[in-house]
Amino acid sequence: MKKTIKKYSFAYLLILPSIISLFIVQVIPSLQGLYISLIKLNQFTFKDFLKAPFVGLQNYFFILFDPNSMVRVGLLGAIRNSAIFTICVISGTLVMGLGLAILLNQNFKGKGLARTLLLLPWIIPTYIVGLLASFMYSYDGIINRVLVNILHILPEPLSWKVGPLTLVSIILITIWRFFPMTMLMYLAALQGISKDYYEAAEIDGANDLQKFWYITLPFLKPVTAMMILYGLIQHIYSFNIAAMMFGLGSGYPGKWGDLIMTNLMRNSFSLWQYGPGGAASIVLMLLVLLLVMVWLKIFKDSITIE
Amino acid sequence: MDYKTKRKIKRIASQVLLWIAVIIVIFPIVYLVAISGSTSNSIRTGTEFQHISIHRYIKNFIEMQKNANFFNYFKNSLIVITITTFIALTLSIFAGYALAKFKFPGSNLFGITMLSTQLIPPTLILIPMYLIFITIQRTIGLQLIDTYYGLIIPYVAIFTPMSIWVMRGFFANLPSELEEAARIDGCSRFQAFRLIMLPLATPGIIATGIFIFLTAWDELMLASVLTTSAKVQTIPIGIRLFIGRIQNRFDLTMMAALVITIPVAIIFFALQKYFVQGMTAGAVKG
């Protein structure tokens, strides 16, 4: 033991600062979060939280099964919304990213310009995206005006920010913000596919669709797998766009567009429901862990972790 | 129709499609730039494009600063995020190098723990963090809420794990022979790292640095809980208060949004090559 530490002392020295910061900010608070989920912590016990009464799994029961709890209704609705949101955003960014990467992956004049312009949404901070979206989606906003008055696609303006369309509008703007990264990854992967495969397929008489299905897609599987995992973690915990679109603090998106994070932040910090908030965070983490395991099962063969 | 014409039509069609997509994608950004030089009333009534002028841009810019003390938030963001980027980058260079070049007992555990922190919901650590900060202040009188370092400490730890993996990818691609040669020539471990590996990893370091900077520039949730006064509040909080304070000044809000985006855009365009290279290298190699 002493010998190995000495042998690798340089390596241990290098990771030591990261371990310390990991402990202070991730490990200890996580354990504390677990503890908070087991105590009754609200505005009355908050002042001295170490003395708050221990209630066991009561918070978990409260958020998951208690038929009288409004928090449960709100949270389950938010989980449903977040599930729809995450699935739609991941598939949307994958489809849009792949489509545009394929269009970009040919030689033509202005290719560099097109690529740079398509990457632009990526550099807009997400809270600005939410703010801008809230202007654009308003009833008299530019989106309604373009759709109704200029393109004549709709007979009358839609209410994007209130009612059932709320989630759709958050999904659309989130796809807009996040597709450039997927596009870039796909573009890099496409450039790594040797032309020989396509030429051989052409000689065998394959059409475009067959080439895409049997050559391009299998080659892109590792990137797709990484992007799904990345999207899963990023979008389940999505907060900024929805929060800024609907104004932090006041009401948030309402039941039609409430996501897990907007719901948890409101319950914890505006309504003083720290205990249930902690319990919900733990449940959420287990849920994400489960999803990652499913992901591993599906993509086991296409991912190599050195 | 012969094969050649068919191919040509396909080519033209795909380019038309691409440029249509480009127009749709950049439309919101053009709109942002345009209306920040328009008037509030015209944005509300849908005549914003008729009132854009250079004069308006200047006027909105000055009014925005006057009404909201905007550059105070800008300064806070810049201080917090520059220090965060510097520390987090240093930690990830060290740890990334260690993970890439040494196979020490516990290296797998360390790597996996780092990755699994990404699964923790931000709310799980945010509530305890807030309580710990308050408890520290009550017991030993050290104020952490509403201070620069009260924001920098969590930021560093939150942005480090991903960066370690990106840095690890870069170091893993560098040949170890150079380092061994330097060791034979009498360099110490640290000298070999500093003189040989570090310069070679510069593109990766720049890419990781931009990655941390951009992510931190975008952070809203922690800042909204851990800061309470304009003294340290960062831009996303500032702009939120700004909307509340001068209600319905869409033009000023959009001017602020434009000003916030400009430094990010400059960094991105200046270092685009490294950034794109870094992001793809990290992910494609998995």
Side-chain angles (χ1 to χ4, degrees):
Chain A
M1 179 73 192
K2 222 172 180 177
K3 231 172 152 184
T4 41
I5 290 182
K6 199 156 184 197
K7 189 173 164 203
Y8 295 105
S9 58
F10 184 56
Y12 286 120
L13 207 65
L14 288 176
I15 62 164
L16 189 66
S18 301
I19 291 182
I20 294 172
S21 85
L22 187 75
F23 260 88
I24 296 177
V25 180
Q26 311 259 22
V27 178
I28 296 173
S30 295
L31 294 175
Q32 172 124 39
L34 186 65
Y35 174 68
I36 286 173
S37 76
L38 303 171
I39 59 176
K40 190 177 177 65
L41 192 63
N42 53 29
Q43 63 265 55
F44 308 113
T45 50
F46 178 72
K47 253 196 138 43
D48 200 357
F49 75 93
L50 290 171
K51 292 201 185 98
F54 189 83
V55 293
L57 295 177
Q58 202 177 304
N59 286 326
Y60 290 87
F61 176 78
F62 180 67
I63 57 159
L64 291 177
F65 307 110
D66 189 350
N68 300 321
S69 105
M70 284 312 287
V71 173
R72 171 181 161 269
V73 177
L75 184 72
L76 293 185
I79 289 178
R80 194 206 56 203
N81 284 347
S82 264
I84 299 172
F85 171 83
T86 309
I87 292 169
C88 290
V89 170
I90 292 178
S91 26
T93 47
L94 286 178
V95 169
M96 199 165 158
L98 179 58
L100 288 168
I102 288 172
L103 291 179
L104 273 177
N105 191 32
Q106 31 187 356
N107 287 317
F108 60 91
K109 246 189 170 164
K111 182 180 166 178
L113 177 69
R115 195 191 71 170
T116 306
L117 290 177
L118 286 173
L119 287 179
L120 277 178
W122 200 9
I123 62 172
I124 315 278
T126 49
Y127 55 89
I128 302 283
V129 172
L131 210 56
L132 181 62
S134 90
F135 286 116
M136 296 183 65
Y137 277 129
S138 60
Y139 196 73
D140 302 316
I142 188 83
I143 290 180
N144 273 337
R145 269 183 278 143
V146 167
L147 292 177
V148 176
N149 303 339
I150 299 175
L151 296 177
H152 301 290
I153 296 172
L154 297 173
E156 55 184 75
L158 291 173
S159 117
W160 291 98
K161 295 203 293 181
V162 187
L165 273 181
T166 313
L167 193 58
V168 176
S169 58
I170 307 175
I171 289 169
L172 288 177
I173 198 72
T174 309
I175 292 175
W176 177 79
R177 170 59 173 68
F178 285 98
F179 87 86
M181 173 153 183
T182 322
M183 183 187 81
L184 200 61
M185 299 303 163
Y186 274 137
L187 196 58
L190 283 175
Q191 280 160 358
I193 307 177
S194 160
K195 289 262 184 304
D196 298 350
Y197 294 105
Y198 292 104
E199 276 160 21
E202 233 160 90
I203 292 167
D204 289 344
N207 63 31
D208 283 350
L209 197 68
Q210 283 169 326
K211 280 190 273 182
F212 175 73
W213 192 257
Y214 292 108
I215 301 173
T216 315
L217 274 189
F219 262 103
L220 296 178
K221 211 174 160 194
V223 181
T224 309
M226 281 314 292
M227 286 293 109
I228 289 176
L229 179 66
Y230 178 81
L232 212 59
I233 298 166
Q234 175 130 22
H235 300 308
I236 282 183
Y237 299 149
S238 176
F239 176 72
N240 289 9
I241 291 180
M244 286 306 267
M245 237 173 108
F246 298 92
L248 260 171
S250 52
Y252 285 130
K255 74 164 179 164
W256 293 105
D258 206 8
L259 301 176
I260 294 177
M261 279 300 129
T262 50
N263 182 283
L264 284 185
M265 286 295 280
R266 185 181 54 237
N267 278 338
S268 298
F269 290 98
S270 307
L271 304 176
W272 297 84
Q273 300 276 2
Y274 291 110
S281 301
I282 298 275
V283 171
L284 184 57
M285 190 170 70
L286 295 176
L287 216 61
V288 174
L289 201 64
L290 187 76
L291 287 173
V292 171
M293 269 143 90
V294 172
W295 174 87
L296 260 177
K297 191 119 190 119
I298 296 173
F299 292 103
K300 209 173 180 179
D301 307 322
S302 55
I303 292 295
T304 46
I305 296 168
E306 316 133 60
Chain B
M1 220 173 357
D2 66 353
Y3 183 69
K4 259 196 174 153
T5 9
K6 229 173 156 180
R7 246 177 98 158
K8 203 168 175 191
I9 291 172
K10 241 190 246 167
R11 258 183 84 89
I12 293 172
S14 73
Q15 278 183 44
V16 170
L17 199 63
L18 178 68
W19 287 105
I20 291 174
V22 170
I23 291 169
I24 296 173
V25 164
I26 62 168
F27 178 73
I29 298 167
V30 174
Y31 187 67
L32 164 67
V33 176
I35 63 171
S36 55
S38 187
T39 66
S40 214
N41 269 333
S42 64
I43 295 171
R44 202 172 311 126
T45 53
T47 53
E48 59 267 52
F49 292 111
Q50 293 156 30
H51 293 88
I52 299 167
S53 69
I54 298 287
H55 167 74
R56 266 278 151 197
Y57 276 102
I58 298 165
K59 198 167 169 231
N60 284 351
F61 184 83
I62 295 168
E63 258 188 69
M64 169 200 70
Q65 163 59 12
K66 218 165 53 195
N67 279 324
N69 195 11
F70 176 76
F71 283 97
N72 168 52
Y73 297 109
F74 199 87
K75 183 197 77 189
N76 290 339
S77 263
L78 217 54
I79 292 173
V80 169
I81 288 152
T82 312
I83 299 177
T84 300
T85 306
F86 183 74
I87 302 175
L89 189 59
T90 312
L91 294 193
S92 25
I93 291 171
F94 286 168
Y97 175 75
L99 277 183
K101 293 295 175 195
F102 299 94
K103 188 102 192 87
F104 53 89
S107 59
N108 276 338
L109 179 72
F110 175 68
I112 288 168
T113 315
M114 279 286 164
L115 272 193
S116 38
T117 59
Q118 301 298 303
L119 305 183
I120 301 174
T123 44
L124 182 64
I125 53 172
L126 185 51
I127 301 167
M129 194 70 128
Y130 180 66
L131 293 173
I132 291 170
F133 278 10
I134 286 179
T135 312
I136 289 176
Q137 178 158 10
R138 285 217 190 101
T139 48
I140 59 170
L142 175 68
Q143 193 191 349
L144 283 165
I145 297 234
D146 209 30
T147 57
Y148 284 143
Y149 41 86
L151 214 46
I152 291 170
I153 294 169
Y155 275 13
V156 164
I158 283 166
F159 301 128
T160 310
M162 252 340 246
S163 320
I164 289 180
W165 276 84
V166 179
M167 275 323 305
R168 189 200 68 114
F170 276 98
F171 280 118
N173 284 332
L174 298 177
S176 300
E177 290 82 11
L178 290 170
E179 206 184 359
E180 280 155 24
R183 294 268 289 146
I184 291 165
D185 289 345
C187 279
S188 71
R189 271 247 153 90
F190 188 72
Q191 277 175 326
F193 164 66
R194 191 171 58 92
L195 299 172
I196 309 291
M197 297 315 258
L198 219 46
L200 285 174
T202 309
I205 294 171
I206 295 175
T208 314
I210 304 169
F211 174 71
I212 300 171
F213 189 92
L214 291 186
T215 334
W217 191 255
D218 210 0
E219 210 290 322
L220 164 68
M221 199 190 280
L222 267 72
S224 74
V225 173
L226 299 179
T227 61
T228 50
S229 78
K231 199 174 75 226
V232 291
Q233 273 166 339
T234 51
I235 293 172
I237 312 300
I239 200 163
R240 195 186 108 215
L241 300 171
F242 181 82
I243 303 164
R245 199 172 312 148
I246 34 170
Q247 212 97 70
N248 300 329
R249 286 304 301 267
F250 299 148
D251 50 344
L252 302 191
T253 312
M254 285 296 105
M255 175 50 88
L258 182 66
V259 175
I260 292 159
T261 310
I262 286 171
V264 189
I266 292 173
I267 293 175
F268 181 80
F269 282 114
L271 302 168
Q272 196 192 14
K273 199 181 80 189
Y274 297 109
F275 186 53
V276 168
Q277 192 190 341
M279 294 305 286
T280 47
V284 174
K285 293 200 183 74

